[in-house]
Amino acid sequence: MMLTRSMARFTAGLAGAALLSAAFSAQARELSVSTVLSEAFPWGQAAEKWAELVEERSGGELTLRVYPNSQLVSGDQTREFSAMRSGLIDAAVGSTINWSPQVPELNLFSLPFFIPDEAAVDAVTGGDAGTMVFEAIESRGVIPLAWGENGFRQVSNSLGPISQPEDLDGLKIRVVGSPLFQDTFSALGADPTQMSWTDAQPALTTGAVDGQENPLSVFDVARIDQVGQEHLTLWNYMNDPLIFAVNQQVWQSLSEEQQAMLRETAEEAGAWEIAMTREQESERLAAIQERGVTVTELTDEQYQAFVDATQSVYEKWTPRIGEEVVNAAQAAINAR
């Protein structure tokens, strides 16, 4: 009888351990995170940092698996927001540019020559305009958590220096799939050609396009100078903030503690990535110049010529973005 009871207790213990193990396994959860660029770039490093922090803080209860190079949307970076909204992607560290076709307010950051410097970026993202942008994202089924930064976008080409709008006349410039980019480069007299980043480098190599625009980090890491881009103009014509975000249904399925942890780690990863991106800017520029690239910096008068040449774009797109958002951003920039 004693033996039977002992065996019963032993069996019950095994069953309890199995149930505990099963419960732990059921609690452990992995979320997919999409990025356009890999961890060779600050953008990809931001996602990896987020995943690292989440694993540390959750003790493995919640993990993020990063899928770089737009893997989850077959290379089509402009589909990322729609895929996240529909639940095909759990989360993303995405670009305001790539998400702007679905969230018009995000075109705020792509208004040409509107946000002049880093202090202006911080004033916009940290102020009322930034709050309005986050509310616009959330109203479309995605929960924004924090800001990151891809940086100011500069223009390069294979034919010659660009220091005035006339220098862009007829140049075939690769742009992302945003109508605002088409309008901006058309206003400057260029021939904008829309294509994904996957297709851009081969097109630059063959000369199918003459130039492109990207932050210095992308120009440097991707070695765009090796595909004929020997002329680079620093014109800070727009900034490209990144946004850490999660699908709404996924967010609602998390506990309050998990939500708080996910937001805190996103904010920490974003602040870390923004600081890193800005600190590396001068080093990247020096490395690019050392590789023989001709770098043109605009005078105030030259910069103003580009502002004047794109005024029609500003007037056309402000109503589409929303007068209230644009005015809030302008006020923040003026007060910085």
Side-chain angles (χ1 to χ4, degrees), residues 67-275:
Y67 293 84
N69 302 316
S70 305
Q71 290 178 49
L72 300 179
V73 286
S74 303
D76 185 354
Q77 57 210 60
T78 58
R79 285 180 49 220
E80 186 177 65
F81 186 86
S82 296
M84 180 166 45
R85 180 170 56 185
S86 67
L88 295 175
I89 295 172
D90 296 327
V93 179
S95 162
T96 54
I97 298 169
N98 293 333
W99 295 1
S100 64
Q102 291 81 38
V103 187
E105 291 84 352
L106 289 173
N107 286 296
L108 172 70
F109 301 98
S110 299
L111 280 174
F113 307 100
F114 177 60
I115 300 177
D117 51 39
E118 291 169 352
V121 175
D122 294 341
V124 172
T125 57
D128 292 340
T131 299
M132 292 177 193
V133 168
F134 269 25
E135 288 172 350
I137 293 172
E138 187 163 351
S139 72
R140 291 168 175 85
V142 169
I143 306 299
L145 303 178
W147 296 98
E149 188 166 280
N150 203 21
F152 280 100
R153 299 177 78 91
Q154 319 297 356
V155 66
S156 71
N157 79 102
S158 59
L159 301 181
I162 295 172
S163 60
Q164 57 186 348
E166 291 76 14
D167 294 332
L168 280 158
D169 191 35
L171 286 186
K172 293 181 180 178
I173 304 292
R174 174 267 172 181
V175 297
V176 296
S178 166
L180 178 47
F181 281 69
Q182 298 272 350
D183 288 348
T184 296
F185 280 91
S186 293
L188 292 170
D191 179 11
T193 303
Q194 177 185 326
M195 62 180 64
S196 70
W197 181 240
T198 304
D199 298 328
Q201 286 178 290
L204 291 166
T205 302
T206 62
V209 292
D210 302 312
Q212 61 84 52
E213 50 77 53
N214 257 307
L216 288 184
S217 61
V218 176
F219 190 101
D220 182 30
V221 177
R223 297 298 175 95
I224 298 178
D225 51 287
Q226 294 183 352
V227 290
Q229 298 297 286
E230 299 173 357
H231 304 278
L232 175 68
T233 294
L234 304 180
W235 64 348
N236 282 16
Y237 87 113
M238 61 150 293
N239 193 269
D240 184 14
L242 303 176
I243 297 175
F244 294 69
V246 181
N247 166 273
Q248 191 173 59
Q249 285 73 35
V250 170
W251 180 256
Q252 292 171 347
S253 72
L254 300 173
S255 68
E256 289 186 9
E257 291 78 10
Q258 289 174 324
Q259 290 177 353
M261 182 269 298
L262 209 55
R263 188 183 300 277
E264 288 167 6
T265 51
E267 290 174 347
E268 187 174 330
W272 171 83
E273 188 266 343
I274 289 171

